[in-house]
């Protein structure tokens, strides 16, 4: 008997229950980590890439990272002195706004701050990222690095991608099997927010403009029961 194509009813009570279970689990895990580690950092990530985040997690295998609902994490730590899981933790929850996470560790804060200040990975930009430089492809035969290398050190772009780059906005044409531009074409300008066609072209020409970086905002130390703002400390 064929399956019915009628829309199935999904009971919201089931999905709500699952969401509640996840929130309760996050709440319990955050409180457990607060008990087991000496320092709690609030952090954000620029140009999130799971592969690089895995590298960071591996480097800090003795620590714990949490991404989740900030309201739940803030509630777990305590948003007021009366709710605090540990003394003065409510001062840290003031920094739990926006797309941020919690990092629990017993390593020395200076070591942690120095590591993340030095750590970054360059990758290809995605739509919505601001261009860090102006990238223009010169007129003539289009090469695989878009003019970033001398022609003698580069190779022409394969003719098979001509329709693709034209779809992405480049006014190209084929001439004797070579992709050609009659005039220079600017893919992006420094400071402008890029769309998916621009970022696709940058990736094709091997131009990386996104930097994966973990920014630390503030941290709580259990020994001193105090919160330190990292920007203020660096200044």
């Amino acid at each position: 008997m064929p399956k019915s194509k009628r829309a199935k009813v999904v009971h919201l009570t089931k999905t709500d229950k699952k969401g509640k279970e996840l929130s309760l689990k996050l709440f319990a895990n955050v409180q457990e980590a607060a008990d087991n580690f000496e320092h709690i950092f609030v952090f954000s990530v620029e140009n999130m890439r799971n592969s690089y985040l895995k590298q960071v997690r591996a480097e800090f295998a003795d620590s714990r990272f949490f991404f989740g609902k900030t309201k739940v994490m803030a509630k777990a730590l305590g948003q007021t002195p009366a709710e605090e899981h540990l003394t003065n933790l409510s001062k840290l929850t003031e920094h739990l706004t926006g797309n941020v996470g919690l990092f629990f560790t017993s390593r020395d804060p200076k070591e942690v701050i120095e590591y993340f200040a030095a750590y970054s990975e360059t990758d290809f930009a995605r739509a919505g990222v601001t261009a860090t430089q102006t990238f223009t492809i010169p007129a003539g035969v289009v090469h695989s690095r878009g003019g970033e290398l001398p022609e003698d050190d580069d190779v022409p772009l394969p003719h098979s991608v001509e329709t693709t780059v034209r779809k992405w906005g480049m006014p190209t044409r084929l001439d004797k099997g070579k992709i050609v531009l009659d005039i220079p074409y600017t893919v992006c300008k420094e400071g402008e927010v890029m769309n998916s066609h621009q970022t696709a072209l940058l990736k094709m020409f091997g131009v990386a403009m996104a930097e994966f970086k973990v920014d630390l905002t503030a941290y709580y130390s259990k020994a001193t029961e105090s919160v330190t703002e990292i920007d203020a400390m660096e200044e």
Side-chain angles (χ1 to χ4, degrees), residues 135 137 142-146 170 201-207:
F135 179 61
I137 300 169
V142 180
H143 288 71
S144 65
R145 291 304 305 275
M170 287 180 61
L201 285 170
L202 290 178
K203 186 173 183 178
M204 175 171 284
F205 291 108
V207 180

Side-chain angles (χ1 to χ4, degrees), residues 19-35 64 66-79 83-85 89 93 102 104:
K20 185 176 181 180
E21 287 175 354
L22 290 174
S23 293
L24 289 173
K25 185 177 180 181
L26 175 62
F27 184 95
N29 287 341
V30 166
Q31 288 198 336
E32 180 185 13
D35 291 333
R64 290 202 69 178
F66 288 95
F67 271 119
K69 292 183 178 179
T70 54
K71 288 183 179 180
V72 176
M73 294 191 293
K75 195 72 176 175
L77 297 182
Q79 294 173 290
E83 298 173 345
E84 288 172 344
H85 186 67
L89 257 183
T93 59
L102 289 174
F104 294 81

Side-chain angles (χ1 to χ4, degrees), residues 4-232:
S4 172
K5 294 184 179 180
R6 288 183 299 175
K8 294 182 179 180
V9 177
V10 178
H11 296 286
L12 293 177
T13 52
K14 292 184 178 180
T15 55
D16 287 345
K17 183 178 179 182
K18 184 178 180 181
K20 185 176 181 180
E21 287 175 354
L22 290 174
S23 293
L24 289 173
K25 185 177 180 181
L26 175 62
F27 184 95
N29 287 341
V30 166
Q31 288 198 336
E32 180 185 13
D35 291 333
N36 294 334
F37 294 95
E38 294 300 311
H39 310 287
I40 309 171
F41 287 81
V42 174
F43 71 93
S44 61
V45 179
E46 295 180 34
N47 298 300
M48 170 64 81
R49 300 290 188 276
N50 286 332
S51 58
Y52 298 137
L53 187 60
K54 285 181 181 178
Q55 293 178 15
V56 173
R57 288 183 186 273
E59 176 66 29
F60 289 92
D62 57 352
S63 307
R64 290 202 69 178
F65 290 84
F66 288 95
F67 271 119
K69 292 183 178 179
T70 54
K71 288 183 179 180
V72 176
M73 294 191 293
K75 195 72 176 175
L77 297 182
Q79 294 173 290
T80 66
E83 298 173 345
E84 288 172 344
H85 186 67
L86 297 171
T87 304
N88 288 330
L89 257 183
S90 62
K91 294 181 180 178
L92 185 69
T93 59
E94 295 173 5
H95 298 277
L96 280 173
T97 58
N99 190 20
V100 298
L102 289 174
F103 169 51
F104 294 81
T105 186
S106 291
R107 297 195 194 184
D108 182 80
K110 183 180 179 183
E111 174 194 344
V112 173
I113 293 167
E114 287 179 351
Y115 173 85
F116 284 113
Y119 181 84
S120 66
E121 296 285 352
T122 303
D123 206 333
F124 297 111
R126 294 173 179 171
V129 169
T130 301
T132 58
Q133 67 184 74
T134 298
F135 179 61
T136 300
I137 300 169
V141 175
V142 180
H143 288 71
S144 65
R145 291 304 305 275
E148 293 285 281
L149 296 176
E151 288 190 9
D152 292 342
D153 298 330
D154 206 346
V155 294
L157 205 62
H159 67 86
S160 57
V161 302
E162 195 272 335
T163 55
T164 300
V165 297
R166 187 151 35 85
K167 181 182 69 176
W168 289 340
M170 287 180 61
T172 55
R173 60 182 177 85
L174 281 176
D175 183 12
K176 298 178 181 178
K178 300 283 182 69
I179 300 177
V180 175
L181 277 172
D182 292 325
I183 57 174
Y185 177 72
T186 298
V187 176
C188 62
K189 295 180 180 179
E190 182 178 356
E192 78 172 3
V193 176
M194 296 182 288
N195 60 38
S196 59
H197 287 175
Q198 291 171 298
T199 55
L201 285 170
L202 290 178
K203 186 173 183 178
M204 175 171 284
F205 291 108
V207 180
M209 288 193 187
E211 182 183 37
F212 170 88
K213 191 169 180 61
V214 176
D215 296 318
L216 303 175
T217 305
Y219 69 93
Y220 172 87
S221 290
K222 192 181 295 183
T224 60
E225 297 180 338
S226 62
V227 172
T228 302
E229 293 187 13
I230 293 171
D231 289 343

